[in-house]
Structures are given as C-alpha cells and as structure tokens.
Amino acid sequence: MSEPTPTEIIGTIERVTYYAAESGYSVLRVVQDGDSAPITVIGNLPEVSAGERLRLHGSWVRHPRFGQQFKAHEAARLLPDEPLGIERFIGSGLIKGIGPATARKLVAAFGAQTLDVIEHHPERLAEVPRLPASRIERLLAGWREHRAASEALVFLQRYDLGARLGLRIYRTYGAETLARVRENPYQLIRDVWGVGFKTADRIARALGLPADSPQRLKAGIWYALQQAAEEGHTLLPEDVLIERAAEWLDVPPDSLAEPLAALVAGRDLVRQAGILPVGADAIYLNMFYQIERDTAARIAALQGASSRFNDLRQLRLNSVPDSELSPEQRAAIAMVWQQPITVLTGGPGTGKTTTLNALVAQAAANGITCSLAAPTGRAAKRLAEATGQNAKTLHRLLGYSPNEGFTVNASVPLNAQLVVVDEASMLDLALFHALLTALKPGTHLLLVGDVDQLPSVNIGDILRDLIASKRVAVTRLMQIYRQAQGSQIIQAAHSINRGEVPTWEQGTGDLYFFGRDEPASAAELIVDIASRRVPNTFGYPPEAIQVLSPMHRGPAGVTALNDGLQQALNPNNRRLPEVTLEGRTWRISDRMMQLRNDYQKEVYNGDIGRLARIDREEQTLTVLYDDRMVSYEWSEADALTLAYAISIHKSQGSEFPVVIVPLLTSHYIMLQRKLLYTAITRARKLCILVGSRKALAIAVRNAHVQERYSGLSERLVELLPVVTG
C-alpha cells in the first residue's frame, strides 16, 4: 500500500542542511508535529533557521539516491509553542537584539509564554534579571522588524524571489513593501540593488500587467541602458539599445520607438546626434550625459587656462642624477610642466615609478605643492611607498562625505599646483569628473597608468579616451630597464602584449607553469600550491598569496576556489566563530572583499580585509581593512564575499607578492590578452600559472576587447586642437 501524500505538513526545523542565497533552494531536516523522526524537506524557500516552526505546502517525492522527501512549494512561519523550541527560535540570530544568552534568560523567566509576553505584554520584560532597559528596547525593535519582514517575505515568496533579495526589498521599502511592489514592480529595478528586469517582470506579469504595456516597455529600455552602464558603457547607439531591449522584452523592435521617445521626452534618457562615428544617435541615461558633457568642458577649460609654471624657465632637478633618467623620462617630466594635462603610460619595468619619483623630487625642490592620489586604497598605499610622500585615495583627497558628496569641489577647490593620479586606467567617468571639478584653473594634472591593462570596472574608459582624442599630451615609456630585464614576469608580460606566446626556463626565476587540462584537477593543485607548496618552498605566508581567476563559475572559478582555499587555509576544526549568511559560511580570520562602493563606510569595490568579529546578538560582522575596523549589519552581507580567490577584474590597481592564475580552455569566453596581461602584472615576486598551454596560447592571440561606447573622445575633438608636443 503506498504511503499517503499530504499537501500540508507542520513541523520544527532540526537542521538547515543546505541553503542557496540566490535561488532560496533549501534542504531542511524537519520534525513533524506529533512525530520524532526527522524528514527531509526540499524547495525554494525563504531563509530559515533551526528551531523555527513552518507550515509547508507541497507533495511527497522519491529521490533515487536519498529516498522519500517532501518537496515544498510554499512555506509560512509559525511561532514555536514549547520552551526549548522558543529558546532555539529566538536565540538563533534571526531576531536582532536576542542572542543565545538573552534567549535563555527570557525562557527561564516566562517559559512557554515567552513569545506572548514579547508580543502582547512587553512591559513584563523588566521582570527578567540583569536585562537592562536599553537591551529590552533593542530586543523589541528587533522583534517588530522580524514580524514585519516575515509578512513581506511571505508575500514576495509567491514570485520565486530568493530570501536575500526579498529581505533587500523589505529593507528598501519597509512597511510600504506590499503597496510599493503592487503599484509598480518595475520601480524595483531602480530602487533595489540586485533586482533585474526578469525578476521585476515576473512579479508584474503575475500581477496581471500585459506584455505590451507602456510601463513594461519603458522599463525594458531603461534596464537595457542600465545594464550597458554595468558593462562600462556611457551610452549606446540607438539601434544597439533597441536590439538589446527587444531581446529582454521579447517584443518586435519597432514596438519600442514610442516608449523610447516617451523616456527621452521625460528626460529619463537623452538622445544626441553626431557624437558617434557610425552616425547613429547616442542614447544616454540623463546622469551620464550630464557628467560626460561637463567632463569634456572642464578638460577644455583646464587646457585653455594660463599655466602656473610659465615663469619657471628652468626647474632644478638636483635630487636625481642625470644618469638615472633616460631621455624619454626627462621628456615626460618636462611635458608635465609645459602642458596642463599629461598622460604617462607604459608597461611593467619601463620606469614609470622612477619618472614619478624624479617629478615629485623636482616639485619639492622648487617649492611646488603636489597632491598624490589613486582610485583605490591599495593603489594609494603603493604610491606612498614608492614615492615616500603622502598619497590618498581620490575620495579622501576630494573630501567625500556620504551626506554632502565631494566637499572639495568648484566652490572649495583643491589647494595644489600639481596633481598626480596613479593607476589611472582604473578611473571611471564619475570620479574623473569630480577630480576635474575640484581643480583650479592653472593647476597641472598628470595621469599615470598602463593603458594596456583592463579598463575601469565602472563606466567610461578615461585613459584610452584621452589618448585616442590626441587633445592631451601623452608619453609612452617603451624601454625595459636592466633591473626589470631579469624578471620572467615582466618579460612574459611584454611578450603577451606584443601577441607572442611567452617562453621561459622553468624553475630559474619568478614565473612557473604547471600543466593541468581538467578544471577540477587544476583547482585541487591550486589549493595545494597556495596552502602548502609556496609557503614551504618559497617561504611566503598564505596571506601573501592571491589566486586570480578569469571566471566566477566552474571548478576552477572564483566561487569553487574560495571554498577549497577556505577549507585548506581556515578550516572549521579550530572551532572559530562562524556564521552562515548569503548561503555561505564565513568564519573569523577569513579573507573578505568588498563588492561595491560604500561611501558611508569608506570601503570600496575590491578592498580586501579580514573577518575580525561576529556578533550574533547584534547581528553584525566586523571586517579589519589594514588598520581600520568596519562594521556590517547582517542584512548588508551581500556586499561581502570570500577573497582567497578573486576575479582578475577585481585585482586591478593591486599588487600581491604571489599570484596564482588558473588558465584553462573551459575559460574560453574569458581568455583574452588584456586579461592575462593584467593578471600576470599583479604579481610582484612570484607568478604561477596552472592550466594548459593551449589556453595560454588562446589568451595571447585573442586581442579582442569589447569596445566601450563613450562620447568623451569625440567631445574633446570638437572642443580642442590637436596637442603635438
């Protein structure tokens, strides 16, 4: 006789076996009411914790390997009704302000009535010994937020949203969540980080909005342009935009002319003719149009201003002997004083740092005030170490305040005669615009960077646009100096840049290649190299080693490598405090990376630190960045990820003593010359490639780089004459 298949079960979670933050897919062990043996529950569910009671709707299924399971389609939280379940529930970290110790106190005082007291008789909490009023206030606030969030998450669960995304929507709208989502689900795309068109569209269609509604078509166009900005584009040609939007929307391209015109008329988007060489109209998000246009105007104004150094007929260079500078380096320095805006570019080992040091020394010898900066904290620290002078991040130099924006600006300009920005390939349009806004007329600006590296992860391609326009002075250093010629890393980097597959004698220098064709085998070897071989053979500690992968997915991608490296370098057998958030387990001492700019906390995309503290009661994580502690609410955990392995894109502007790079044919889509060049040049002392020679050759020969649509170079061509000297 077959076992009955109920459509509803009620039980208490004994253990969360697995949870995927993106999809909400969960594997739970649940003890049904009136039974003692746990069952396995699977399904896409809100994030839950051990001790919670659930009402689950679904059906019984039989897995060929794991046997009978209950596949849940919908879940509703129920409050536990016996003391042990209550203690586990409220002490699980689910409710901010209540940790295990406070939960024990509450249940000891009120037993099975604990939740009723919190909900209906909160004044009785004063009866609990050694529970101060401030803690009671936080406890009640956490309880109210939990109840409100639970209601919203149950509503959002109907639309197959992961718990992480549902909670982020609730954090954005609070008590108005249900009303705001019903009113215009497409507004989620603009208001909530991480909500894409498909998610908003799924909700909208479920709410009955037709596929050809103007609201939907406009949202699809706007989203296509926003996605282009995520790829680094400042604009899109109109035909490209229409093609992308039509694909997202699954509608005929000619149906988008009217909604596009409405977005332009409403100033959400801006159309401009004549800015693209192909002849198509350019379509911008309004904000980027304004920034790009003003950036070009400010460059033109700076180029046209009278130089502060016209009266300096001959600058003293008494701190650097002539023999230490080549003619091209001396010409580069002279250009800085002659031209208001200059670019100094060149590959590794070509003397950019030597040139920069000589320039800074010359400025000091002549009493010229000089500000040094870089886009990231790590790049600024390296600049300070290289020059022996104070260097800041551009945000700090420009006095960024989360509430006021850049406090050093046109009204309160930067007090410097010369501004030097290192790692300028990382400059994005918005940050470059803020810098130009803060410069007084007559100030000279030098941008130093390797134009052959990957461009900024944000919008724009500043260094290339300036060079391509021929409206600013550019010096490209070509000579590789003697001290760099002995480095296999530097020799290989230049070979790669020329499109030549590098060759070197294995085991005699700073570059190694270990052959592996299968991704799983390569990943296993990388973990062994990072955790055992490099520390034992070369003496570098694990914290000096950085794994850089071209891709996030796959056995040798960032995600899987982080799992293996965490287990090898920071295993849980040391009983360190840990927490599972975003479907990932993090423990004290884990290497962590910030995933997006947070101006409030003053941490930026790509910053790397160590997890220093986990506070379950206050639901916070604390990460140590260099010598500064930064606290995160658990709801902000999606801004963090493990960083034993990071993407090559995230490594821009950084150097590490040791770099390990998987290079496999399974990474085919990302095997590009510029990507490989960037990865290898991140290594300061030792670089190890793990993979196949075929993949190495594919990467070197693939010089294709996706063009970034931008109008900056064309605007400069219209505003300025060619710079010839």
Side-chain angles (χ1 to χ4, degrees):
M1 184 174 178
S2 63
E3 187 174 352
T5 307
T7 57
E8 177 183 287
I9 64 172
I10 295 175
T12 301
I13 300 172
E14 180 184 74
R15 183 175 74 248
V16 178
T17 303
Y18 177 78
Y19 174 71
E22 289 294 339
S23 63
Y25 181 77
S26 305
V27 179
L28 314 175
R29 294 290 283 171
V30 174
V31 178
Q32 294 185 78
D33 287 3
D35 202 347
S36 59
I39 64 168
T40 298
V41 174
I42 62 172
N44 293 343
L45 304 171
E47 189 168 10
V48 292
S49 300
E52 286 194 81
R53 289 186 75 230
L54 301 176
R55 175 183 287 114
L56 299 160
H57 291 272
S59 57
W60 291 97
V61 297
R62 181 166 292 280
H63 190 280
R65 179 179 173 189
F66 300 112
Q68 191 177 52
Q69 301 173 331
F70 188 82
K71 186 174 183 180
H73 304 297
E74 189 174 329
R77 286 185 170 97
L78 301 175
L79 297 179
D81 55 8
E82 48 85 23
L84 181 59
I86 293 171
E87 182 180 330
R88 292 180 69 188
F89 170 58
I90 64 175
S92 65
L94 196 66
I95 303 167
K96 186 176 180 181
I98 307 180
T102 303
R104 281 193 295 272
K105 289 181 183 180
L106 293 171
V107 173
F110 304 117
Q113 305 303 312
T114 299
L115 297 180
D116 183 67
V117 169
I118 295 173
E119 179 73 18
H120 299 110
H121 308 287
E123 70 281 356
R124 291 194 60 197
L125 295 175
E127 300 172 18
V128 180
R130 298 182 301 281
L131 191 64
S134 59
R135 176 59 56 84
I136 291 174
E137 186 177 336
R138 289 204 305 276
L139 182 159
L140 292 173
W143 174 257
R144 288 190 294 269
E145 182 177 11
H146 167 73
R147 295 298 300 273
S150 295
E151 181 184 353
L153 290 174
V154 168
F155 167 76
L156 294 170
Q157 182 190 342
R158 302 173 192 172
Y159 308 108
D160 296 327
L161 296 180
R164 177 177 73 178
L165 197 54
L167 187 58
R168 199 180 301 138
I169 293 170
Y170 172 75
R171 297 282 187 190
T172 302
Y173 295 136
E176 298 181 1
T177 297
L178 305 186
R180 296 288 291 274
V181 172
R182 287 187 176 116
E183 177 187 359
N184 182 9
Y186 293 112
Q187 191 63 31
L188 292 168
I189 300 171
R190 303 196 189 195
D191 294 347
V192 183
W193 183 85
V195 175
F197 180 81
K198 289 183 178 179
T199 298
D201 198 41
R202 185 167 63 246
I203 299 172
R205 302 301 296 276
L207 291 172
L209 202 68
D212 60 352
S213 71
Q215 191 180 47
R216 180 176 186 267
L217 299 183
K218 287 193 290 185
I221 294 170
W222 190 93
Y223 182 70
L225 204 52
Q226 177 62 37
Q227 283 297 103
E230 294 286 331
E231 298 168 13
H233 301 296
T234 311
L235 59 91
L236 281 182
E238 182 175 353
D239 56 342
V240 175
L241 172 60
I242 292 295
E243 181 182 352
R244 289 191 179 197
E247 184 176 348
W248 275 110
L249 292 160
D250 193 23
V251 298
D254 57 10
S255 68
L256 299 180
E258 189 173 333
L260 175 58
L263 286 166
V264 171
R267 301 298 292 173
D268 288 288
L269 308 182
V270 175
R271 182 199 305 272
Q272 182 165 11
I275 205 70
L276 291 170
V278 294
D281 285 358
I283 307 294
Y284 291 81
L285 291 170
N286 194 321
M287 176 179 67
F288 297 149
Y289 168 78
Q290 301 295 344
I291 292 175
E292 183 183 88
R293 189 176 65 168
D294 195 53
T295 295
R298 289 183 182 278
I299 291 172
L302 206 61
Q303 289 284 65
S306 299
S307 171
R308 295 184 177 191
F309 307 117
N310 286 340
D311 58 338
L312 297 175
R313 295 286 180 263
Q314 187 172 0
L315 296 171
R316 296 191 305 277
L317 190 57
N318 54 13
S319 59
V320 181
D322 288 357
S323 60
E324 292 189 13
L325 293 177
S326 68
E328 65 176 356
Q329 288 174 320
R330 289 193 165 278
I333 293 173
M335 191 76 73
V336 171
W337 308 119
Q338 295 164 8
Q339 295 285 344
I341 303 177
T342 49
V343 170
L344 175 63
T345 189
T350 56
K352 294 192 300 296
T353 300
T354 300
T355 307
L356 189 53
N357 281 332
L359 175 70
V360 171
Q362 188 176 23
N366 288 275
I368 295 168
T369 57
C370 178
S371 291
L372 304 179
T376 69
R378 284 173 292 165
K381 185 177 181 180
R382 284 177 41 229
L383 179 59
E385 291 169 351
T387 60
Q389 303 293 321
N390 183 37
K392 300 178 180 180
T393 65
L394 280 165
H395 283 88
R396 192 173 292 277
L397 179 72
L398 301 177
Y400 186 84
S401 165
N403 298 321
E404 303 176 54
F406 292 103
T407 57
V408 179
N409 49 42
S411 301
V412 186
L414 194 63
N415 186 26
Q417 296 169 286
L418 171 66
V419 176
V420 177
V421 178
D422 198 14
E423 295 292 351
S425 63
M426 299 177 67
L427 273 176
D428 63 79
L429 180 64
L431 188 55
F432 187 49
H433 175 260
L435 172 63
L436 293 172
T437 302
L439 299 183
K440 296 177 182 177
T443 301
H444 281 219
L445 173 64
L446 169 63
L447 302 177
V448 183
D450 187 347
V451 74
D452 294 316
Q453 287 185 28
L454 293 168
S456 164
V457 295
N458 296 314
I459 67 160
D461 202 350
I462 299 301
L463 208 55
R464 283 178 190 78
D465 281 349
L466 291 177
I467 293 172
S469 74
K470 299 182 180 180
R471 267 56 181 177
V472 300
V474 178
T475 300
R476 180 158 192 156
L477 302 178
M478 302 295 291
Q479 180 182 343
I480 303 175
Y481 288 89
R482 185 167 55 249
Q483 63 271 28
Q485 289 174 353
S487 167
Q488 293 172 335
I489 293 172
I490 290 177
Q491 293 294 334
H494 284 277
S495 293
I496 290 166
N497 213 18
R498 293 192 299 268
E500 301 167 1
V501 178
T503 58
W504 65 94
E505 188 177 347
Q506 181 93 330
T508 61
D510 54 8
L511 183 62
Y512 289 77
F513 188 98
F514 291 92
R516 290 292 187 278
D517 291 328
E518 295 300 321
S521 175
E524 184 179 347
L525 178 57
I526 286 169
V527 171
D528 186 50
I529 290 171
S531 61
R532 188 179 64 85
R533 296 194 190 190
V534 168
N536 292 345
T537 304
F538 296 96
Y540 293 106
E543 53 267 26
I545 302 167
Q546 185 63 61
V547 177
L548 306 178
S549 179
M551 298 189 73
H552 283 274
R553 298 173 185 255
V558 169
T559 302
L561 285 170
N562 267 319
D563 288 340
L565 290 163
Q566 181 193 44
Q567 183 57 32
L569 297 172
N570 194 27
N572 60 6
N573 58 16
R574 294 188 290 158
R575 301 188 182 281
L576 293 172
E578 62 180 34
V579 64
T580 299
L581 298 169
E582 303 301 310
R584 305 297 302 275
T585 297
W586 300 331
R587 61 185 62 98
I588 296 297
S589 297
D590 271 339
R591 191 185 302 178
M592 310 295 289
M593 183 173 66
Q594 176 78 13
L595 290 174
R596 58 182 185 269
N597 291 341
D598 189 323
Y599 302 111
Q600 190 80 37
K601 299 183 191 298
E602 292 188 65
V603 286
Y604 304 102
N605 189 352
D607 284 354
I608 293 177
R610 291 277 177 181
L611 183 56
R613 187 167 181 244
I614 297 170
D615 189 326
R616 290 186 175 277
E617 193 149 310
E618 293 303 313
Q619 296 188 355
T620 60
L621 306 170
T622 303
V623 178
L624 174 64
Y625 295 99
D626 294 327
D627 57 352
R628 195 168 67 89
M629 294 284 197
V630 177
S631 180
Y632 296 80
E633 301 279 339
W634 283 9
S635 62
E636 300 173 309
D638 59 339
L640 294 169
T641 190
L642 288 175
Y644 299 102
I646 64 176
S647 70
I648 296 170
H649 282 87
K650 291 287 188 184
S651 73
Q652 289 174 253
S654 302
E655 279 188 352
F656 309 95
V658 181
V659 164
I660 305 172
V661 184
L663 206 60
L664 298 150
T665 53
S666 61
H667 293 159
Y668 187 87
I669 192 171
M670 295 299 290
L671 292 178
Q672 299 168 4
R673 182 185 302 172
K674 203 170 288 289
L675 200 74
L676 177 60
Y677 175 82
T678 300
I680 287 180
T681 55
R682 299 310 89 208
R684 193 161 63 244
K685 299 290 186 181
L686 180 65
C687 182
I688 300 171
L689 305 177
V690 178
S692 72
R693 294 280 182 181
K694 181 179 179 181
L696 174 62
I698 290 171
V700 170
R701 290 166 183 154
N702 181 12
H704 173 74
V705 177
Q706 183 184 19
E707 177 190 1
R708 285 198 171 184
Y709 291 111
S710 163
L712 181 59
S713 181
E714 186 67 26
R715 291 182 192 279
L716 293 176
V717 168
E718 292 176 356
L719 292 172
L720 290 166
V722 173
V723 172
T724 55

